[in-house]
Amino acid sequence: MILESARLALGRLRANVVRSALTVLGVVIGVGAIVTLVAVGNGSANAVSNQFSGLGADTLTVSQGRGFSGGLRGAAGSGTPLTSTDAAALSRDPQIGSTAPIVQRALNVSYGGVSQTTEVQGTTTGVLKTDNLSVASGAFFTGFAAAHGLRVVVLGATLASNLGLSGSSAPSTVIRIGSSSFTVVGILEPQGGVGFLSPDDAALVPMQSMLGRLVGSNASISQIRVQAAPGSVNTFGSAVEADMRSAHNLSTTQADDFLVINPTTVVQAQKQSSTDFTRLITAIAAISLIVGGIGVANVMLVAVRERTREIGVRRALGARRRDIIVQFLTEATVLSAVGGAIGVLLGLGFAYLLPSISSQQTQVSYWAALIAFVASVVVGIVAGVGPANQAAALEPASALRYE
């Protein structure tokens, strides 16, 4: 009975192709949007994780700010400026393996007629460990260069490419940073990352080369990158906070006047935000399913009117009420299932295509596609209940006389 009803339903779809297509359009859009948006949300969450993965759980960033408690303490832009004394206090702690104070400014970098404004960081060789940096060509500047303020620079991969520098010929090239000339000694491997955590667009110079030349000689430190000593990953965060409070002479009743950023906490917050946003836009997309269900119900009500005599003939030939209900419920379900299948295919296709036409990464969830398809079938069943009962309630004699 069900298979025969399904065959009849497919025949009805072929007989009214245009009307059927318009009817399931809302279902197609809803299901396709859900599949695509979930893939986009998953892709964004994974991108955040990948961008921070190079830092690991054994690194923290200390910056100027006024804190309270938690993984991300306080608000940037307030509090006591960081100094080299703070970095020295942290480097003396046995629970801290490496420290890298950083002074950063947005400056003009130019070479061979190409010029762009980018982030220039004055730092020490410790940044190699704290930021897990790898050099693609040339070498990182040495401790001697850092101690004597030599005008040398290491370029991020993206910045070097933008300036037209790449390969083994890039080292020894002279570029201009601000109004000063610097010699390129190395180019970094692509690192990825977000904001201040990404060296790809940055130029790294020795701290002493930056102070008094690119910025004021008394410029405050923008941030201090800290890496845990082996075996101290679980405790070095507390050590960093204690060292900073001691260096700033804070009493037990005073709040932190610095900001501690834990990359792991930032990743979790970013992923939670991405998940919440995905749920929101998916819920909005699901409204199209409801609209599609209304369209299916409306068409089925029209079908009851159009086929009143057919219903009368079937009842006169012995069809029972439940046979009529099954027929119309099957038609509504097939209608929405076809729309759901088309929506899933379009959604998956767009999710796979999106990374090749934009910078947006996606990760397809087949579970989400299955749930969206099942939801479309449920919408069809619910939409068909009313029209099916209305059709089954018709009296055979009245239906046969209907014009």
Side-chain angles (χ1 to χ4, degrees):
M1 174 68 71
I2 294 177
L3 292 177
E4 180 64 18
S5 297
R7 187 186 66 79
L8 292 173
L10 290 173
R12 291 287 179 184
L13 290 178
R14 290 193 297 268
N16 299 279
V17 175
V18 175
R19 185 171 73 177
S20 299
L22 293 175
T23 301
V24 302
L25 186 59
V27 177
V28 172
I29 293 173
V31 172
I34 290 172
V35 174
T36 301
L37 292 174
V38 170
V40 169
N42 291 342
S44 298
N46 285 338
V48 170
S49 297
N50 293 335
Q51 288 167 339
F52 283 85
S53 62
L55 297 177
D58 63 343
T59 57
L60 293 174
T61 300
V62 181
S63 63
Q64 181 181 336
R66 187 163 296 281
F68 39 95
S69 62
L72 180 60
R73 301 182 175 91
S78 60
T80 303
L82 302 178
T83 65
S84 57
T85 302
D86 298 325
L90 292 171
S91 65
R92 288 192 295 268
D93 194 308
Q95 296 188 66
I96 296 174
S98 300
T99 60
I102 297 174
V103 176
Q104 58 189 30
R105 294 290 188 277
L107 298 171
N108 184 266
V109 179
S110 60
Y111 171 75
V114 179
S115 177
Q116 74 172 72
T117 299
T118 192
E119 184 181 87
V120 178
Q121 298 180 353
T123 185
T124 65
T125 55
V127 77
L128 274 170
K129 292 184 178 180
T130 61
D131 286 17
N132 194 27
L133 301 179
S134 299
V135 179
S137 61
F140 204 80
F141 58 76
T142 63
F144 179 86
H148 292 80
L150 301 184
R151 288 186 294 176
V152 293
V153 60
V154 178
L155 302 178
T158 302
L159 176 60
S161 177
N162 291 343
L163 294 176
L165 299 173
S166 60
S168 58
S169 61
S172 76
T173 302
V174 178
I175 66 173
R176 293 194 65 83
I177 302 177
S179 57
S180 300
S181 298
F182 281 76
T183 301
V184 177
V185 293
I187 296 177
L188 296 175
E189 293 277 4
Q191 304 292 318
V194 180
F196 68 84
L197 297 173
S198 174
D200 287 351
D201 292 306
L204 281 64
V205 302
M207 177 80 75
Q208 297 305 317
S209 302
M210 189 166 185
L211 296 176
R213 183 175 287 115
L214 302 178
V215 297
S217 57
N218 295 320
S220 61
I221 293 175
S222 306
Q223 59 184 269
I224 303 173
R225 299 283 294 123
V226 184
Q227 184 183 49
S232 301
V233 174
N234 296 326
T235 59
F236 89 112
S238 299
V240 168
E241 184 171 359
D243 291 341
M244 289 298 298
R245 290 183 63 84
S246 176
H248 288 195
N249 297 315
L250 297 175
S251 67
T252 55
T253 59
Q254 291 178 296
D256 295 345
D257 60 356
F258 52 89
L259 185 69
V260 178
I261 302 173
N262 185 336
T264 302
T265 303
V266 174
V267 169
Q268 292 172 348
Q270 289 278 3
K271 291 181 72 173
Q272 184 60 49
S273 175
S274 178
T275 299
D276 292 342
F277 182 70
T278 300
R279 289 173 178 170
L280 174 62
I281 57 180
T282 300
I284 294 173
I287 295 175
S288 294
L289 276 176
I290 299 175
V291 174
I294 295 173
V296 171
N298 182 57
V299 167
M300 294 308 299
L301 286 171
V302 172
V304 171
R305 294 258 181 193
E306 292 178 343
R307 297 160 59 188
T308 299
R309 288 178 61 84
E310 175 192 328
I311 295 169
V313 170
R314 291 194 64 188
R315 289 298 304 277
L317 293 176
R320 295 163 295 182
R321 287 172 56 91
R322 71 176 186 181
D323 297 330
I324 303 300
I325 291 175
V326 168
Q327 177 186 352
F328 278 86
L329 268 181
T330 303
E331 289 186 15
T333 303
V334 169
L335 196 63
S336 58
V338 170
I342 295 173
V344 167
L345 292 176
L346 291 177
L348 291 175
F350 193 69
Y352 281 116
L353 179 64
L354 193 58
S356 63
I357 61 176
S358 70
S359 59
Q360 176 62 55
Q361 298 301 308
T362 60
Q363 180 180 347
V364 172
S365 170
Y366 292 103
W367 278 110
L370 177 61
I371 291 172
F373 176 75
V374 171
S376 70
V377 174
V378 172
V379 165
I381 294 173
V382 173
V385 168
N389 282 318
Q390 181 178 345
L394 293 174
E395 291 296 331
S398 300
L400 286 169
R401 293 194 300 267
Y402 183 81
E403 294 293 339

